[in-house]
Amino acid sequence: SDICSLPFLAKICEKIKSTLKNSVPFRDVDSDKYSVSPTLRGYHWRGRDCNDSNKMAYPGRRPDNWDVHQDSNCNGIWGVDPKDGIPYEKKFCEGSEPRGIILLGDSAGAHFHIPPEWITASQMSLKSFIDLPSALTDELNWPQLSGATGFLNSTSGLKENSIYLHLRNRNRCNHRDYQNLAKNGASSQNLERIIESLSRNPRSDHPAIVIYAMIGNDVCNGKIDPVPKMTTPEQFYSKVMETLKYLNSHLPNGSHVILYGLPDGTFLWDHLHNRYHPLGQLNEDVTYERFYTFLGCLQVSSCHGWMSSNKTLRALTSERAEQLSNILKKIAISKKFTNLDLLYVDFDLQAVMKKWQKRGGQPWQLIEPVDGFHPNEVALLLMADGLWDKMQLQWPQVLGKENPFNPQIEQVFGDQGGH
Amino acid sequence: PSNGHACVGCVVVVSVIEQLAQVHNSTVRASMERLCSYLPEKLFLKSTCYSVVRVFGPDIIKLLSADMNADVVCHTLQFCQQDPGQAFCHLYPLPKETWKSTLEKARQIVKKSPTLKYSRSG
């Protein structure tokens, strides 16, 4: 039963396990943490490497000699303008304050998604499982469509962009400068190993916008009584400060960290409990209440505290979530670091719901139908759009300037090599 | 409980098999073949599916044909287990007759099955 026990598979299994454990690309010839393949922590998760045999060529770095001879930062801009002999990178990007986006998050940030057509018999066809191999090798996540680092067009037809695409539209020199370090099950308490997969050199790279979005696992677990296992405010404070000290010593000066609060997850029960789960739609027999009870009974629920018929438990879970959010607020106001500044933002599901209802949407349409827990692509993009608006209005310094040369960059370099 | 995820996986897969048979008005065997045919060959997904059908298919056919639901099938095949002192976990409404007698009847149906000689391998 353990296929990895076969001798000829042992090595590749070892490598895959290392990839999953350390959140670094499986295929990375020059070991610069950037890859030319999509899945297994490849360019679905971090900007595609433009030269996988040169570890000094990777997204987000300051250009080497203005990229006269090669594209050292993978933004697709290099060479010299024959008209005046000025390097394009110098002409189009110098002084434009390029920056990258880095997400430290959990399964929500990685955009955990199980397509409902995988378990809905009435819709099933040969096309249903086309994405299954890719999804499995991305741990059932779709970061390429996520709210923070998504670079593909939305599958739900929304016009909203991810934070990364907003940054790229603002300054085309930011092309490919994204890192999604989110991981299923991540919380403030287990970030040590994940954060080491962050790739940024304080001396040679551009500043970064780091989004810290541990939005659930500090209060979510599958225990019958989930409260004892929830992160306490003291534990939370201690680990968040540890993470911020690490970031301060690894990020270029002029970076920013946006601390996302935790949501009020009672939203789930309130809007889903009496709706049919995809498995229950054919015979109208399985509601989300039944689905939650089943997972809770097996102790494999994503979040027993909120996915529960026990109103008191749901309220207790939200209360702890709010306590942890207040810790982040206090840290953002009171703590200062040399290389980065801190900003706090609420994970405001109600605001997203109102925005969606204005378009005629229903609240339950914001949640992943199969797991009945994660925010889906619509919710993630509306959330990203709300954050972008807030940053533009309140913290424009975080975003860098609008690059006046964007049209010229597009004219000379087109899609800059795409993603 | 041990192997909660295996239990969820089993109940979801058997539910899909049952509903495919219902939607296409086909036999359970045809429904399992159909499901495997939908899977891509990449990552050995299709061949793994046919292997699982070869091992567990006969029992699943017998049990679903006896109108057992996915909960009963997965408890009988031991992907779901009610650990001592634990509640009985089920996704679908309980059958009319007592759970115990339903499970006993199901176990009789697959009593001679070679499958259950193997330890409940993942």
Side-chain angles (χ1 to χ4, degrees):
Chain A
S1 65
D2 181 6
I3 193 168
C4 287
S5 58
L6 299 174
F8 65 94
L9 285 180
K11 199 159 179 324
I12 194 168
C13 279
E14 207 40 55
K15 188 119 176 33
I16 289 178
K17 281 176 189 165
S18 159
T19 288
L20 298 181
K21 198 172 71 174
N22 302 316
S23 301
V24 291
F26 171 74
R27 185 173 156 199
D28 179 13
V29 176
D30 57 11
S31 301
D32 61 1
K33 292 186 185 162
Y34 291 89
S35 175
V36 293
S37 59
T39 60
L40 287 171
R41 294 283 164 171
Y43 63 76
H44 280 174
W45 302 81
R46 304 164 185 249
R48 185 186 185 127
D49 201 342
C50 51
N51 181 342
D52 203 20
S53 49
N54 174 2
K55 74 178 293 143
M56 293 316 290
Y58 56 85
R61 65 159 290 174
R62 295 179 193 283
D64 172 22
N65 185 26
W66 292 115
D67 282 8
V68 169
H69 301 296
Q70 58 141 0
D71 183 10
S72 69
N73 54 18
C74 302
N75 63 4
I77 301 167
W78 66 285
V80 171
D81 187 339
K83 291 198 293 296
D84 51 20
I86 299 175
Y88 283 118
E89 180 85 29
K90 181 176 177 59
K91 176 180 282 198
F92 293 151
C93 298
E94 185 176 29
S96 73
E97 302 174 344
R99 60 207 52 219
I101 176 82
I102 297 173
L103 173 69
L104 292 175
D106 49 29
S107 48
H111 185 19
F112 184 91
H113 167 66
I114 298 175
E117 50 273 17
W118 288 2
I119 66 165
T120 308
S122 55
Q123 296 170 17
M124 211 171 274
S125 73
L126 269 174
K127 291 198 306 283
S128 303
F129 296 95
I130 281 176
D131 290 325
L132 181 56
S134 169
L136 286 176
T137 45
D138 275 339
E139 305 149 69
L140 292 180
N141 297 301
W142 306 62
Q144 66 276 25
L145 288 162
S146 66
T149 61
F151 56 83
L152 292 182
N153 293 330
S154 154
T155 60
S156 38
L158 258 64
K159 62 174 177 25
E160 275 74 9
N161 278 326
S162 69
I163 300 294
Y164 160 68
L165 284 179
H166 273 299
L167 278 172
R168 181 181 181 277
N169 293 339
R170 188 178 182 90
N171 180 354
R172 296 293 289 261
C173 301
N174 295 331
H175 181 66
R176 288 195 192 177
D177 193 356
Y178 62 89
Q179 295 178 54
N180 190 315
L181 308 184
K183 190 166 183 63
N184 299 343
S187 75
S188 65
Q189 305 300 299
N190 61 20
L191 206 46
E192 292 90 347
R193 187 184 303 137
I194 299 169
I195 202 167
E196 276 161 25
S197 71
L198 184 149
S199 167
R200 210 72 180 181
N201 181 314
R203 279 165 303 287
S204 59
D205 295 354
H206 289 306
I209 301 169
V210 176
I211 295 181
Y212 180 97
M214 295 299 165
I215 68 160
N217 295 312
D218 285 290
V219 298
C220 288
N221 58 70
K223 296 296 176 196
I224 295 287
D225 175 8
V227 178
K229 204 169 164 247
M230 289 182 187
T231 302
T232 65
E234 297 72 25
Q235 291 167 333
F236 191 68
Y237 174 83
S238 164
K239 284 291 186 179
V240 171
M241 287 308 293
E242 203 175 290
T243 300
L244 293 175
K245 284 169 190 147
Y246 181 95
L247 290 174
N248 190 54
S249 59
H250 285 76
L251 290 177
N253 186 273
S255 295
H256 306 273
V257 175
I258 295 168
L259 299 170
Y260 247 113
L262 285 76
D264 174 2
T266 53
F267 179 97
L268 296 171
W269 177 269
D270 295 349
H271 296 290
L272 285 178
H273 79 276
N274 56 358
R275 295 191 60 81
Y276 287 118
H277 182 273
L279 282 180
Q281 283 161 10
L282 183 65
N283 299 311
E284 297 189 343
D285 49 9
V286 177
T287 60
Y288 280 97
E289 174 173 2
R290 203 173 261 290
F291 179 66
Y292 288 170
T293 305
F294 179 54
L295 297 181
C297 177
L298 291 169
Q299 297 188 59
V300 294
S301 172
S302 308
C303 191
H304 192 203
W306 277 322
M307 296 157 82
S308 163
S309 56
N310 180 334
K311 185 176 177 130
T312 308
L313 176 56
R314 298 200 300 270
L316 267 176
T317 307
S318 295
E319 186 183 320
R320 178 63 59 86
E322 189 172 5
Q323 287 169 354
L324 302 185
S325 298
N326 289 334
I327 296 282
L328 293 176
K329 277 181 199 162
K330 286 200 190 88
I331 288 174
I333 290 169
S334 60
K335 297 300 175 188
K336 301 299 175 209
F337 292 90
T338 49
N339 294 319
L340 48 90
D341 64 7
L342 300 177
L343 307 155
Y344 171 82
V345 65
D346 281 322
F347 192 100
D348 191 347
L349 264 175
Q350 293 301 322
V352 169
M353 184 177 79
K354 288 192 181 77
K355 195 189 266 189
W356 181 237
Q357 284 174 316
K358 266 194 206 131
R359 300 184 192 187
Q362 296 292 319
W364 57 268
Q365 292 170 322
L366 297 169
I367 302 298
E368 283 295 331
V370 174
D371 61 48
F373 172 60
H374 291 95
N376 66 7
E377 184 186 301
V378 171
L380 294 170
L381 285 176
L382 292 179
M383 185 70 65
D385 215 53
L387 175 59
W388 183 260
D389 292 346
K390 186 181 182 77
M391 291 195 287
Q392 276 193 305
L393 278 174
Q394 295 179 23
W395 310 317
Q397 75 284 5
V398 172
L399 307 177
K401 291 181 274 191
E402 190 108 30
N403 189 339
F405 294 106
N406 284 334
Q408 286 92 320
I409 294 171
E410 189 157 2
Q411 192 184 351
V412 176
F413 295 102
D415 72 350
Q416 299 167 251
H419 291 98
Chain B
S2 56
N3 258 326
H5 288 104
C7 178
V8 173
C10 174
V11 169
V12 170
V13 170
V14 172
S15 297
V16 168
I17 291 169
E18 196 177 8
Q19 293 185 20
L20 274 174
Q22 184 180 339
V23 164
H24 297 284
N25 193 22
S26 74
T27 64
V28 171
R29 171 183 301 283
S31 160
M32 290 191 287
E33 303 281 340
R34 178 193 299 274
L35 178 59
C36 290
S37 72
Y38 287 157
L39 293 177
E41 192 42 76
K42 269 188 177 177
L43 299 185
F44 310 112
L45 290 168
K46 193 191 290 280
S47 42
T48 302
C49 184
Y50 283 121
S51 311
V52 171
V53 167
R54 231 185 340 272
V55 174
F56 295 102
D59 295 336
I60 291 173
I61 291 169
K62 286 178 200 154
L63 292 166
L64 288 181
S65 305
D67 278 341
M68 303 290 174
N69 70 17
D71 292 319
V72 177
V73 172
C74 295
H75 274 271
T76 307
L77 299 184
Q78 299 179 50
F79 282 93
C80 302
Q81 277 190 333
Q82 185 178 6
D83 292 341
Q86 294 286 341
F88 163 63
C89 303
H90 60 97
L91 179 61
Y92 292 92
L94 285 173
K96 293 176 187 56
E97 56 186 289
T98 68
W99 166 253
K100 228 177 176 62
S101 61
T102 305
L103 193 54
E104 192 40 46
K105 190 193 290 184
R107 284 183 176 142
Q108 288 308 315
I109 290 171
V110 295
K111 194 166 62 175
K112 298 187 186 64
S113 160
T115 310
L116 294 184
K117 278 197 188 107
Y118 312 125
S119 70
R120 190 165 47 88
S121 70

